[in-house]
Amino acid sequence: MTNTDSSIVLVTGGNAGIGFHVSQQLARAGARVVLGSRDPARGAAAAAQLTDDGLEVDTIALDVTDDATIAAAAKHIADTYGRLDALVNNAAIVGEGLPPSQASRAEMLATFDTNVAGVVALTNALLPSLRASGRPRILNVSSELGSTRLVNDPDWPHSDVAAAAYQASKAALDMLTVMYAKELAVEGIPVLSVSPGYRKTGLSRGAPTPGAGDPAEGAAGIVALALADEVPTGQFLSDQGELVAW
Ligand SMILES: NC(=O)c1ccc[n+]([C@@H]2O[C@H](COP(=O)([O-])OP(=O)(O)OC[C@H]3O[C@@H](n4cnc5c(N)ncnc54)[C@H](OP(=O)(O)O)[C@@H]3O)[C@@H](O)[C@H]2O)c1
């Protein structure tokens, strides 16, 4: 499956929620989507739904906590396409959603493994394919819940949410965005944090704040950044393309 005229984009956690909508919208826009799913059956179900929509995606098994599937995904992309134009680090877990005084070591480690270490391991494995692209970029799907400034603002509507493992993992992800952006600037590889906004998905189910929006709308901002001719680097952008306070 090759199409050197269209962007090649890997979306982790592409089988559900925002990742599914990102994959769908990218495919509709003509991109070659490599849809990563940790569970092959869920990946196949997502691909079937897209096929019903007249869209074709390249579905791969990819668990960001599993180095073997990361290596296989990197090899598949290098062998099949020879480059990667955009990496969308979307996959994440929320953990148990407990405040810091109740969080366990197990919850912290599992959440950081997926949301932080998984991003580093996958990104590093894909750097050779990103370097082979004429317009590479790395998009880390983050959350305003990881912003120390917003969480510390009593007027921010979500400032009472207390999901320590998740929120600390997104703050760590944002630091990685800044550090990767600085390191990769010399190679012309932009790195951004991007938030889809508060959306109704499996991850937000049970969240205390009402008003979660349509995940398709949250995906649109990520898709725009994946396909734009040029993007900034080292910033945290909302789904509207506005700067978010770190
Ligand atoms: N929903 C919101 O309000 C909101 C707000 C801000 C930011 N975000 C961010 O948006 C992104 C997508 O979240 P979502 O709301 O769409 O959540 P979701 O519906 O729960 O989807 C999460 C996706 O990540 C996958 N995943 C989890 N662990 C994985 C692993 N180890 N390897 C590979 N894939 C894995 C899930 O796979 P399974 O289906 O197998 O579980 C699923 O496909 C996340 O980064 C999240 O932090 C969401």
Side-chain angles (χ1 to χ4, degrees), residues 12-19 36-39 42 62-65 89-93 114-115 141-144 166 170 194-204 212:
T12 66
N15 62 284
I18 286 151
S37 174
R38 64 174 162 176
D39 179 327
R42 283 184 220 144
L62 177 54
D63 181 336
V64 299
T65 67
N89 283 313
N90 165 79
I93 58 173
T114 301
N115 299 5
V141 182
S142 190
S143 167
E144 284 91 341
Y166 178 74
K170 292 298 181 180
V194 55
S195 169
Y198 185 36
R199 305 293 171 185
K200 201 176 290 182
T201 66
L203 189 140
S204 63

Side-chain angles (χ1 to χ4, degrees), residues 138-161:
I138 298 165
L139 303 177
N140 293 328
V141 182
S142 190
S143 167
E144 284 91 341
L145 288 172
S147 161
T148 50
R149 181 125 25 127
L150 290 173
V151 171
N152 229 3
D153 175 359
D155 295 329
W156 188 54
H158 306 282
S159 64
D160 286 339
V161 176

Side-chain angles (χ1 to χ4, degrees), residues 60-107:
I60 60 168
L62 177 54
D63 181 336
V64 299
T65 67
D66 178 346
D67 287 337
T69 67
I70 287 176
K75 183 174 185 326
H76 172 76
I77 287 169
D79 291 351
T80 310
Y81 306 106
R83 70 175 207 273
L84 182 65
D85 299 313
L87 167 60
V88 183
N89 283 313
N90 165 79
I93 58 173
V94 76
E96 293 172 43
L98 295 169
S101 63
Q102 296 171 40
S104 65
R105 178 186 294 277
E107 182 195 5

Side-chain angles (χ1 to χ4, degrees), residues 9 20 22 32 39 50 53 66 76 110 127 191 201 221 244:
V9 186
F20 175 79
V22 168
R32 173 67 65 201
D39 179 327
L50 295 172
D53 208 8
D66 178 346
H76 172 76
L127 278 176
V191 187
T201 66
V244 178

Side-chain angles (χ1 to χ4, degrees), residues 10 70 73-74 77 84 87 121-131:
L10 171 61
I70 287 176
I77 287 169
L84 182 65
L87 167 60
L122 181 66
T123 299
N124 293 350
L126 289 167
L127 278 176
S129 288
L130 286 160
R131 289 182 175 121

